[in-house]
Amino acid sequence: MLAILSAVARLIGIGGILFIGLLLYEEGIPGAHRIPFLTGIPIIGDLTAGRVHTYAAQQVTLATSNMVTKFERDTIASQLAEMERQRNAATQATEEHRRRLVAAEAAEQTAKDTLENEIQSYELQLSEKNRACAVTAADRQWLLRH
């Protein structure tokens, strides 16, 4: 194996070896980026994955780091729907309370009016009874004569 590499090195020269080395450094070894532990090693990772792939992965990570995931979007949508349901329930409860308040005020006013009418009729009856029992001037003269 070493004999083959030294024969290729003599054939293409130092410039060819540098060219192939830089090409491997930039593009990486085909298929080696799929091995997870190799890409985690700093220099070996650049050689196996290539700087192009590493740079592209970094750019994708930067671009998607601020994006909302589908799970987060679904969670936010369900929270929004729950808040909307609670708002509608609160609005409905408020309207029901207002209707009951108006009905209670109307019933109270009716009860007050009925009570006032009864009080007035009772006072009228008392004044008529007192009028019947009141001593008039004619009654006084009769009492004085007898």
Side-chain angles (χ1 to χ4, degrees):
M1 180 80 168
L2 193 54
I4 295 173
L5 287 177
S6 70
V8 171
R10 269 184 267 138
L11 183 64
I12 59 174
I14 192 75
I17 291 177
L18 286 175
F19 177 74
I20 291 173
L22 287 175
L23 183 64
L24 287 176
Y25 182 71
E26 282 293 315
E27 296 295 326
I29 300 169
H33 68 277
R34 294 188 196 118
I35 303 171
F37 66 87
L38 280 180
T39 57
I41 302 170
I43 296 173
I44 308 272
D46 284 342
L47 289 175
T48 56
R51 289 181 48 111
V52 174
H53 178 71
T54 307
Y55 179 75
Q58 287 172 348
Q59 293 304 313
V60 168
T61 302
L62 286 174
T64 58
S65 64
N66 292 332
M67 294 178 68
V68 177
T69 64
K70 184 180 184 310
F71 172 75
E72 291 172 329
R73 187 187 67 217
D74 292 344
T75 303
I76 291 170
S78 66
Q79 287 175 349
L80 183 62
E82 177 62 21
M83 288 175 59
E84 183 70 22
R85 185 196 63 77
Q86 289 176 355
R87 187 183 63 83
N88 289 338
T91 302
Q92 186 179 10
T94 303
E95 288 301 318
E96 180 64 27
H97 176 71
R98 284 184 187 150
R99 281 193 293 263
R100 283 186 287 170
L101 179 65
V102 167
E105 287 174 346
E108 181 184 18
Q109 188 61 38
T110 303
K112 281 182 180 178
D113 292 343
T114 303
L115 185 61
E116 280 293 322
N117 289 338
E118 288 178 3
I119 290 172
Q120 285 178 356
S121 68
Y122 181 73
E123 286 177 348
L124 183 63
Q125 288 174 358
L126 280 180
S127 68
E128 286 176 5
K129 284 182 183 178
N130 287 339
R131 222 182 285 148
C133 294
V135 178
T136 61
D139 290 337
R140 247 189 228 157
Q141 285 183 4
W142 184 84
L143 283 172
L144 288 175
R145 278 184 284 167
H146 291 87

